[in-house]
Amino acid sequence: MYQEITLKTCGEGEKSFPFLATGTTAYRYKQVFHQDLMILLNKMENSEDDQTDMTVGDKLAFIMNAQAEKRDMNTLNVDAFLEWADQFDGAELFLHMQEFVTLYLGSRRTSSKPKKEAAQRSGK
């Protein structure tokens, strides 16, 4: 799933950035950050304490932006993430965390229906 999101940068004001969520997003996240994205997202959704890692959205945005820009994913690392994040105003990525997570989770939902169910509704 692809989406452009407008974010406030430190020097250029507002700028539109592309983000792409694919079947490899979680694998790329683990490759770069050595953490399981789905476990972190589940913890974030179900947590009621201060121990939730709120940087998940920032890191997810980095991976999805790199995918959209067709960057060489083998060159991504934590330093590249920090350099990328440094271009944004203070809490800008945090303020858009819900958009990043929704974009990712939206790419994991299917809109297809089983053929048998569709045939039953049409009376065939």
Side-chain angles (χ1 to χ4, degrees), residues 12-68:
E12 300 177 40
E14 290 190 350
K15 182 178 172 186
S16 184
F17 290 85
F19 296 92
L20 177 66
T22 70
T24 62
T25 302
Y27 298 104
R28 298 298 187 183
Y29 189 99
K30 189 166 190 165
Q31 176 186 11
V32 175
F33 299 109
H34 310 289
Q35 297 173 304
D36 188 302
L37 176 59
M38 292 311 295
I39 289 173
L40 294 171
L41 290 176
N42 284 332
K43 282 183 181 179
M44 191 169 68
E45 183 179 3
N46 299 320
S47 178
E48 295 179 11
D49 60 23
D50 303 2
Q51 303 303 311
T52 304
D53 182 358
M54 299 307 281
T55 65
V56 175
D58 301 0
K59 295 172 184 173
L60 178 58
F62 170 67
I63 297 298
M64 292 190 305
N65 178 251
Q67 288 181 161

Side-chain angles (χ1 to χ4, degrees), residues 51-110:
Q51 303 303 311
T52 304
D53 182 358
M54 299 307 281
T55 65
V56 175
D58 301 0
K59 295 172 184 173
L60 178 58
F62 170 67
I63 297 298
M64 292 190 305
N65 178 251
Q67 288 181 161
E69 293 182 346
K70 302 200 182 311
R71 291 182 56 187
D72 181 353
M73 301 303 276
N74 294 316
T75 65
L76 301 183
N77 57 34
V78 175
D79 288 333
F81 162 68
L82 294 173
E83 184 178 320
W84 178 82
D86 201 30
Q87 69 184 310
F88 301 105
D89 276 352
E92 187 66 7
L93 294 174
F94 176 76
L95 294 173
H96 290 272
M97 178 173 43
Q98 187 63 43
E99 286 179 83
F100 302 137
V101 172
T102 299
L103 174 62
Y104 173 69
L105 293 176
S107 76
R108 296 182 54 86
R109 291 190 196 112
T110 179

